[in-house]
């Protein structure tokens, strides 16, 4: 019963923003702490395909000092944090045909007979 914290992935890996179909959110773990009002500290734990992954340290009520110590020790041991930067748009669909589905506010090209125009 001397558990200092629960540790787990913060959420599913980050994803490129899809302006047409929306985000591909799979799961998140910070909701659990928010619902019950317990503290949580999140720090970087690595990268996948150049996008960040986080690790969460969950504690009981008023355990913030312990969580901060644990998270700091993890950061110092791993050095996963990188300076944030703005990246150009990822070309995740290279070699694949563009999505031809009509977007909100655009006519259905199959009904109008027009050819699609790509910017």
């Amino acid at each position: 019963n001397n558990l200092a914290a629960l540790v787990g992935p913060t959420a599913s890996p980050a994803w490129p923003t899809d302006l047409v179909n929306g985000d591909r959110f799979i799961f998140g773990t910070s909701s659990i702490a928010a619902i019950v009002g317990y503290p949580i500290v999140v720090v970087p734990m690595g990268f996948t395909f150049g996008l960040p992954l986080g690790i969460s340290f969950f504690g009981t009520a008023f355990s913030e000092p312990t969580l901060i110590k644990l998270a700091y020790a993890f950061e110092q041991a791993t050095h996963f944090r990188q300076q944030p930067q703005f990246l150009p748009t990822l070309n995740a669909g290279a070699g694949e045909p563009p999505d031809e589905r009509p977007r909100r506010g655009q006519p259905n090209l199959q009904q109008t007979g027009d050819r699609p125009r790509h910017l």
Side-chain angles (χ1 to χ4, degrees):
N1 292 341
N2 287 329
L3 183 66
L6 294 175
V7 180
T10 300
S12 55
W15 56 86
T17 300
D18 187 333
L19 299 176
V20 176
N21 299 313
D23 291 332
R24 291 177 236 134
F25 182 75
I26 299 172
F27 74 91
T29 56
S30 59
S31 301
I32 298 166
I35 291 169
V36 297
Y38 285 168
I40 180 173
V41 175
V42 179
V43 294
M45 74 169 186
F47 293 83
T48 180
F49 301 107
L51 299 172
L53 297 171
I55 187 167
S56 296
F57 295 83
F58 302 88
T60 59
F62 309 108
S63 65
E64 289 89 338
T66 301
L67 295 181
I68 292 169
K69 289 176 189 174
L70 291 170
Y72 180 75
F74 179 85
E75 283 187 310
Q76 296 305 302
T78 61
H79 300 283
F80 280 131
R81 187 187 182 285
Q82 292 182 2
Q83 181 69 30
Q85 58 183 329
F86 181 76
L87 299 174
T89 300
L90 296 175
N91 193 2
E96 297 177 9
D99 188 2
E100 301 293 339
R101 291 179 290 182
R103 294 180 175 93
R104 188 177 297 158
Q106 291 183 340
N108 184 331
L109 300 177
Q110 292 175 342
Q111 294 173 351
T112 63
D114 289 340
R115 294 188 64 206
R117 293 177 203 84
H118 299 286
L119 300 176

